[in-house]
Amino acid sequence: MYNLTVESSYPTPYASSQFLSMILLSMIGQKHTPNTTTDIKDGYDYVVVGAGSAGSVIASRLAEKHCVTVLLLEAGKPPPKVTDIPGVARSFIGTDIDWNYTTVPQLYTGAGLLNRSVAWPSGKTIGGSSVINAMLNLRGNKKNYDDWAAHGATGWNYDGVLPYFKKLENNTDAEYVRNGYHGVNGPVTVSKPEYDTELKRAVFETAKSSGYRVGDVNGPKQKGFYDIQATVRKGQRCSAAKAYLVPKGHKNNLDIVSQAFVKKIIIENSKARAVEFDFQGKSRHVRAFKEVILSAGTINSAQLLMLSGIGPQEELKKHKIRLHANLPVGKNLQDHWGTVIGFELNSTFTPLQKKLESVANINDYITSKTGPLTSVQGVSVIAFLDRKGHDSPGDYPDHQLYFWEGAMAPIQSQMRLKPDVSFNPNDANFCSPTMVFSSGSEEEVYFKSYFGPYENKPFYLCLSQIVHPKGTGKVTLRSNNPYDPPNINPMYFSHPDDLEVVVEGLKKCKQFGSSQALKKIGSKMFATAFPGCEKFVSDDDKHFRCIARSMVITLSHQTGTVKMGNPRDPSTVLDPQLRVKTIKNLRVVDASVMPSVPSGNTNVPTMMVAEKAADLIKQGITCSS
């Protein structure tokens, strides 16, 4: 069952609603988190660190071998049941199931953000970020994986990974399955949200009339507009934990432990021997007879490796950590980030927040799992586009657009908008982290400058996101204390081409928002301006550059800090089997291993990596019966 006090403690629209109990009861048929244990043995064949999108998969698949024992350690607690409601996913950002990371001050953007730093949500719970993400089912581009293989990640070309994308998937929509690129027997349910909007219909009408392709972006071609599918099972979130761990919760050879904070890997004679972690107020050690597998995510896996003595020599020396392997851990950090502009809609539209609170819509969800509560955070349409035009040769789009029904509460509380500012983005000091901003009441003034007049009105956001950035960042240690968050520096817009890609996407946003089909539903770009950008509003290039330099958000697609590839390549940390170079019995299996970020959302590619890794490991396991 559920604890109503706990469920109501999260800031969903139903926290104090009389309908919360009914909503929870209506979802009880789908168990969302596995059974856990507090009885931890002294040793296991495999110790997996992190029960997120990758760790859930790898632990589950290894436990299919009855002759091995598996321990899965997760720093966070089991998630509340309300996380199963797709439409309220952003309600859990900034709570106790989020690591609540922020970046260091950004040099090339963030002028409108508190301390010029960007909020970096990351799931800290069983299921990890698959419990708080937007659930979008995206794989990336074929070229991404062929490039991985061409640069030394042997076996990770598109033909080598497609079977694993299909293996993990249970696609419920026949129109997608028939092209042969999808699976129907996997653990992860993929389906269209049971919610359509006039915004979606208007965008699709404009796209088709303009010659754009509308269809499956996970099939033969990526470029075009996507009729969204999500990792949703009958109107409820299908997290990695629900898909992989819940069905295996009864297995005697798999122990799942929550609220176990891993501090380091014990390495002796260049071999991973054990894991040290805090549990129930005590420091514990557990032996790994075969392997330690890090699945803690792009930030935490890099941090744990460095705390364990694996990383750049100069970084470890700075923090007085004994060196076991001098490897470029924490470098090659890549991400997808974007910038938004707002559009108002006809006053006859109901704002998303009110839709989510509507008694009729709540009743639809309770009785039939349909309506706005099944939306993926309000995202109506996604498009993968190319600056060269939709009719250009090739199929390697460089930006992604989101058409997103807006809700003010998460914008105000989660985007770190700062007090109103007085600056000229073209001044020499515009990019200086030491800029002085005028005083104000936290984010209130800046928020009200742009969003304020539309706070109680229906609107949508159009977000322009770069999909294969040229700039890279890094993760470094703040100290040798495992409880200190690391320094995260994504270096957004450090390569000038990345800014131009995002600006081009914002131009497309304006173009679509001004189309006849969208004008019919009242689409009109916000008349307000970002502080400091007012004098550029008549020049789209300057205006959109100014906005991008003022505010960015991460799409939480971080990858690359524990890069796999050719073992002889000095930029790699892992070989193509995901084994840490020069250290035995240690692998990393999560998004950090990706040599370059896929051109799309990364939750599904992360599960694919874990599916393939499981097969690589299981090849070396032979059970006698």
Side-chain angles (χ1 to χ4, degrees):
M1 284 294 290
Y2 55 84
N3 183 320
L4 190 59
T5 300
V6 171
E7 299 290 341
S8 62
S9 69
Y10 290 87
T12 70
Y14 319 109
S16 57
S17 170
Q18 60 181 317
F19 299 104
L20 180 58
S21 293
M22 296 172 64
I23 294 171
L24 294 169
L25 282 170
S26 78
M27 298 192 294
I28 207 164
Q30 291 186 36
K31 187 174 181 180
H32 75 301
T33 192
N35 298 329
T36 60
T37 184
T38 58
D39 184 14
I40 305 171
K41 303 176 182 68
D42 291 334
Y44 295 78
D45 293 314
Y46 296 94
V47 178
V48 181
V49 178
S53 296
S56 297
V57 177
I58 199 80
S60 167
R61 291 302 192 190
L62 290 178
E64 292 174 349
K65 289 286 189 178
H66 65 86
C67 61
V68 301
T69 55
V70 182
L71 173 65
L72 178 58
L73 297 172
E74 168 55 44
K77 65 181 187 179
K81 183 64 177 174
V82 281
T83 56
D84 253 17
I85 307 171
V88 302
R90 293 199 71 86
S91 299
F92 308 101
I93 294 173
T95 69
D96 62 355
I97 60 170
D98 179 5
W99 282 95
N100 286 303
Y101 288 139
T102 56
T103 71
V104 303
Q106 291 301 285
L107 187 61
Y108 303 100
T109 186
L113 304 179
L114 288 167
N115 197 35
R116 299 183 69 98
S117 71
V118 183
W120 263 41
S122 182
K124 185 183 181 183
T125 185
I126 293 179
S129 293
S130 73
V131 171
I132 67 172
N133 71 354
M135 298 152 282
L136 295 166
N137 180 52
L138 290 161
R139 295 175 174 178
N141 191 282
K142 294 179 182 180
K143 186 178 185 301
N144 299 142
Y145 305 105
D146 289 339
D147 284 349
W148 289 6
H151 290 94
T154 307
W156 292 87
N157 59 319
Y158 183 71
D159 287 344
V161 302
L162 179 59
Y164 292 100
F165 279 122
K166 295 168 75 172
K167 180 180 181 180
L168 70 87
E169 186 179 81
N170 173 24
N171 199 305
T172 65
D173 296 322
E175 63 189 281
Y176 290 94
V177 173
R178 67 171 62 102
N179 66 20
Y181 281 76
H182 296 278
V184 294
N185 296 312
V188 181
T189 305
V190 171
S191 62
K192 284 186 181 180
E194 295 292 332
Y195 173 61
D196 274 334
T197 66
E198 289 184 71
L199 174 61
K200 171 182 171 179
R201 290 190 286 272
V203 172
F204 278 178
E205 181 182 336
T206 300
K208 291 174 181 176
S209 65
S210 302
Y212 289 94
R213 185 180 73 90
V214 175
D216 183 7
V217 298
N218 294 313
K221 293 183 178 181
Q222 184 183 41
K223 196 184 331 184
F225 282 72
Y226 183 29
D227 195 355
I228 291 172
Q229 285 192 306
T231 51
V232 171
R233 178 181 295 170
K234 295 182 179 179
Q236 296 176 222
R237 176 187 293 274
C238 186
S239 70
K242 178 185 286 189
Y244 285 92
L245 295 179
V246 168
K248 304 290 172 61
H250 64 282
K251 281 188 168 288
N252 295 326
N253 64 336
L254 171 61
D255 286 345
I256 303 169
V257 179
S258 63
Q259 295 178 286
F261 189 96
V262 175
K263 298 187 290 187
K264 66 185 295 187
I265 303 149
I266 306 300
I267 297 170
E268 300 171 355
N269 300 320
S270 298
K271 187 175 184 179
R273 300 284 188 178
V275 169
E276 180 182 336
F277 60 101
D278 288 340
F279 182 64
Q280 294 185 335
K282 296 180 180 179
S283 183
R284 301 280 300 270
H285 288 75
V286 65
R287 302 285 290 185
F289 303 129
K290 293 183 180 292
E291 288 188 7
V292 174
I293 300 170
L294 272 185
S295 296
T298 293
I299 305 307
N300 291 0
S301 284
Q303 181 186 24
L304 277 170
L305 285 174
M306 288 187 280
L307 290 170
S308 306
I310 301 168
Q313 184 172 0
E314 66 279 7
E315 179 70 12
L316 272 57
K317 183 178 180 180
K318 183 193 311 181
H319 298 288
K320 297 180 174 59
I321 298 171
R322 180 188 173 189
L323 180 71
H324 289 288
N326 182 15
L327 295 170
V329 173
K331 299 182 179 180
N332 189 50
L333 174 62
Q334 298 178 43
D335 189 22
H336 292 148
W337 67 94
T339 299
V340 299
I341 54 176
F343 295 81
E344 59 182 300
L345 289 166
N346 281 337
S347 59
T348 54
F349 278 74
T350 303
L352 178 62
Q353 190 71 18
K354 290 186 177 180
K355 287 182 182 179
L356 294 174
E357 296 169 353
S358 158
V359 173
N361 291 336
I362 291 172
N363 188 59
D364 284 345
Y365 189 76
I366 290 170
T367 58
S368 61
K369 296 296 178 289
T370 60
L373 277 70
T374 71
S375 74
V376 285
Q377 296 185 351
V379 177
S380 294
V381 177
I382 281 176
F384 289 90
L385 306 178
D386 192 329
R387 279 184 293 175
K388 298 175 183 176
H390 64 276
D391 54 355
S392 62
D395 183 45
Y396 196 51
D398 55 16
H399 60 282
Q400 181 176 348
L401 300 187
Y402 295 69
F403 293 85
W404 203 335
E405 282 190 275
M408 286 298 180
I411 293 172
Q412 189 169 10
S413 64
Q414 297 169 11
M415 290 179 68
R416 291 182 56 82
L417 293 174
K418 72 172 288 114
D420 211 348
V421 295
S422 299
F423 67 90
N424 181 345
N426 291 328
D427 285 347
N429 288 331
F430 176 80
C431 293
S432 170
T434 59
M435 280 182 62
V436 177
F437 293 87
S438 62
S439 62
S441 173
E442 290 301 311
E443 70 273 4
E444 280 297 316
V445 180
Y446 199 96
F447 169 80
K448 288 183 177 178
S449 294
Y450 186 68
F451 294 103
Y454 305 95
E455 195 163 357
N456 298 309
K457 298 178 180 179
F459 71 99
Y460 70 94
L461 300 175
C462 186
L463 183 145
S464 170
Q465 170 196 291
I466 189 166
V467 292
H468 37 92
K470 294 181 179 178
T472 61
K474 62 181 178 180
V475 174
T476 56
L477 294 177
R478 186 166 302 186
S479 75
N480 59 16
N481 182 347
Y483 286 92
D484 279 347
N487 295 314
I488 303 168
N489 188 0
M491 295 289 288
Y492 291 142
F493 296 128
S494 57
H495 195 292
D497 285 0
D498 294 344
L499 177 62
E500 297 311 310
V501 172
V502 170
V503 167
E504 184 61 33
L506 292 175
K507 290 181 184 177
K508 292 248 179 58
C509 287
K510 182 178 179 181
Q511 178 184 339
F512 268 77
S514 304
S515 68
Q516 285 302 117
L518 273 91
K519 281 183 177 179
K520 288 179 184 176
I521 60 172
S523 176
K524 184 179 179 183
M525 196 165 145
F526 281 5
T528 51
F530 284 91
C533 300
E534 297 91 343
K535 65 181 180 182
F536 303 117
V537 294
S538 60
D539 184 323
D540 285 348
D541 283 295
K542 290 180 179 179
H543 186 207
F544 294 149
R545 285 192 195 104
C546 181
I547 293 174
R549 288 169 175 158
S550 300
M551 179 190 68
V552 295
I553 61 172
T554 176
L555 279 297
S556 299
H557 303 162
Q558 297 92 24
T559 64
T561 55
V562 190
K563 179 181 176 181
M564 70 165 164
N566 188 329
R568 294 183 298 276
D569 181 348
S571 73
T572 63
V573 179
L574 312 174
D575 67 15
Q577 285 72 48
L578 308 185
R579 299 173 296 201
V580 176
K581 297 192 304 188
T582 76
I583 302 294
K584 295 179 181 178
N585 295 358
L586 179 59
R587 288 187 214 237
V588 181
V589 180
D590 56 30
S592 72
V593 313
M594 300 178 184
S596 58
V597 61
S599 302
N601 303 47
T602 52
N603 184 53
V604 170
T606 300
M607 290 190 284
M608 175 278 292
V609 165
E611 283 278 17
K612 184 173 172 66
D615 272 4
L616 292 172
I617 296 169
K618 287 162 77 173
Q619 287 172 6
I621 302 172
T622 302
C623 297
S624 57
S625 60

